[in-house]
Amino acid sequence: MRTIAILIFPGVQSLDVSGPMDVFAEANRFLSSADHYRLLVIGTERGEIRCSNGLQITAHQHYSEAEQSYDLVLVAGGPDLARLPADGAVSAWLRQSAARSARIGSVCNGAFLLAHAGLLAGKTVTTHWNDGAALAAMFPDTVVQADRIFLRDGTLYSSAGVTAGIDLSLYLLFEDFGPELSLNVAKRLVVYMQRRGGQSQFSPYLTPYAEELSIVGQVQQYVLAHLQADLTVDALAQQVAMSPRNFARVFVREARVTPADFIESARIDAARALLESGNAPLKTVAFDCGFRNRDHMRAVFMKRLGITALQYRAHFASFTSV
């Protein structure tokens, strides 16, 4: 019997806990009793632990009493976790548990607890898109790929925000028992077995902005107002009376992206807004946002978001525009 231990704490996101638990519990419906997953919730505090949504969870064990080896130690996340200081005792328990367990992982920003314990040093991980930059800044010896839904680095597993814990758990079923079981569980839970694209499709904006009154900020505002124009480096440099070479150098220094990358991101963001809120044909959206045609827009969406513009509309259009 495989034991899955999920670490929780005050302010934990309840879906980070219940999502993976339901995946493994549903898997048990298809498995022989000898192959069942045993689910164990471990708390950083005794008694009832209040989740971020007010739900109260009582852990099966306090972490100080959890001394066995596990098939997987999974650390849940929470809305405020990235801002909380390290807990030395919890970090020590995580290091000890990782040493005696087959796999260790995190859901959402539970990666911060693993990082505080020193378990992410030299590793490649993902986390919620909103916490990726903070994780990378606080732990520079960790490679953060914030656009991934889930990621494996050896025996370390990490996943993106909230519902991505379900995606990761389905992948773990796939590793343990193959595609048929993970597909059956996905069908039971009415979720995708493998979601298309990365986290960028869920973040509100892709476009990085410089200070509004700076030269680069002025150019960015010009770009946003003229998405349909032929926005070459030469044309943008003329707007601020700079040479193209010097303009490109200053733009990269202040915006931390090339002018071409900024323009592409701005056009994607504009297209996303139109796709979410209206029913305009894709060719009209493409024209209004400065893409050459709908095929060009489709290619850029696939490159940057991992899904097409049509798929983006299907996923995120408001009910009134469907």
Side-chain angles (χ1 to χ4, degrees):
M1 182 174 287
R2 293 170 168 81
T3 300
I4 308 294
I6 302 179
L7 182 68
I8 68 171
F9 49 87
V12 68
Q13 186 107 34
S14 62
L15 194 54
D16 287 5
V17 184
S18 61
M21 288 186 72
D22 278 342
V23 169
F24 294 113
E26 285 295 330
N28 286 344
R29 297 167 60 95
F30 299 95
L31 296 170
S32 67
S33 57
D35 288 328
H36 275 190
Y37 289 95
R38 175 175 175 249
L39 302 173
L40 187 64
V41 178
I42 298 174
T44 62
E45 293 188 0
R46 300 181 187 277
E48 291 187 340
I49 292 179
R50 186 180 179 86
C51 300
S52 61
N53 63 2
L55 181 70
Q56 302 275 7
I57 298 179
T58 301
H60 296 111
Q61 280 184 298
H62 186 258
Y63 75 93
S64 64
E65 302 163 348
E67 299 179 345
Q68 69 182 88
S69 59
Y70 307 101
D71 182 70
L72 171 68
V73 177
L74 192 61
V75 182
D80 298 322
L81 185 59
R83 295 182 290 276
L84 297 180
D87 183 316
V90 172
S91 293
W93 179 82
L94 281 169
R95 287 191 295 271
Q96 295 162 6
S97 296
R100 60 177 178 254
S101 299
R103 301 177 287 194
I104 190 163
S106 59
V107 179
C108 195
N109 59 12
F112 281 84
L113 290 185
L114 296 183
H116 284 306
L119 296 171
L120 300 189
K123 297 292 187 178
T124 301
V125 301
T126 191
T127 187
H128 192 289
W129 61 264
N130 200 40
D131 293 318
L135 183 65
M138 290 175 63
F139 304 97
D141 55 356
T142 299
V143 178
V144 180
Q145 294 186 1
D147 196 45
R148 299 288 294 273
I149 298 294
F150 63 85
L151 195 151
R152 175 187 177 183
D153 186 345
T155 58
L156 172 69
Y157 298 75
S158 55
S159 61
V162 197
T163 57
I166 295 174
D167 299 84
L168 173 60
S169 300
L170 289 170
Y171 175 73
L172 290 166
L173 292 186
F174 172 83
E175 281 198 335
D176 289 347
F177 292 102
E180 184 177 356
L181 177 62
S182 55
L183 179 59
N184 284 334
V185 172
K187 287 180 177 179
R188 286 280 304 173
L189 297 178
V190 198
V191 297
Y192 289 108
M193 182 175 171
Q194 184 173 355
R195 277 194 277 185
R196 294 179 180 270
Q199 288 196 79
S200 292
Q201 60 185 296
F202 300 100
S203 61
Y205 299 106
L206 300 178
T207 312
Y209 292 100
E211 199 279 318
E212 188 172 350
L213 297 180
S214 69
I215 289 176
V216 171
Q218 294 174 42
V219 172
Q220 290 179 328
Q221 295 303 311
Y222 175 83
V223 168
L224 296 176
H226 298 85
L227 289 176
Q228 297 177 19
D230 184 15
L231 299 171
T232 64
V233 169
D234 288 350
L236 296 179
Q238 288 179 9
Q239 293 296 317
V240 287
M242 297 175 66
S243 70
R245 178 176 295 183
N246 189 41
F247 166 75
R249 179 180 59 80
V250 172
F251 193 99
V252 170
R253 185 184 68 207
E254 293 191 21
R256 299 187 179 183
V257 294
T258 66
D261 283 340
F262 174 83
I263 293 164
E264 188 172 85
S265 295
R267 284 172 169 159
I268 292 175
D269 281 344
R272 291 166 73 188
L274 293 177
L275 292 168
E276 290 172 12
S277 60
N279 285 316
L282 293 183
K283 64 179 181 180
T284 302
V285 173
F287 175 80
D288 288 345
C289 298
F291 296 102
R292 292 192 300 270
N293 50 48
R294 63 176 288 174
D295 290 337
H296 178 220
M297 181 172 70
R298 183 184 192 279
V300 173
F301 264 68
M302 282 297 299
K303 180 182 74 172
R304 297 293 296 273
L305 302 184
I307 57 174
T308 67
L310 184 61
Q311 289 169 333
Y312 185 88
R313 169 173 277 171
H315 290 171
F316 298 105
S318 63
F319 291 116
T320 57
S321 65
V322 174

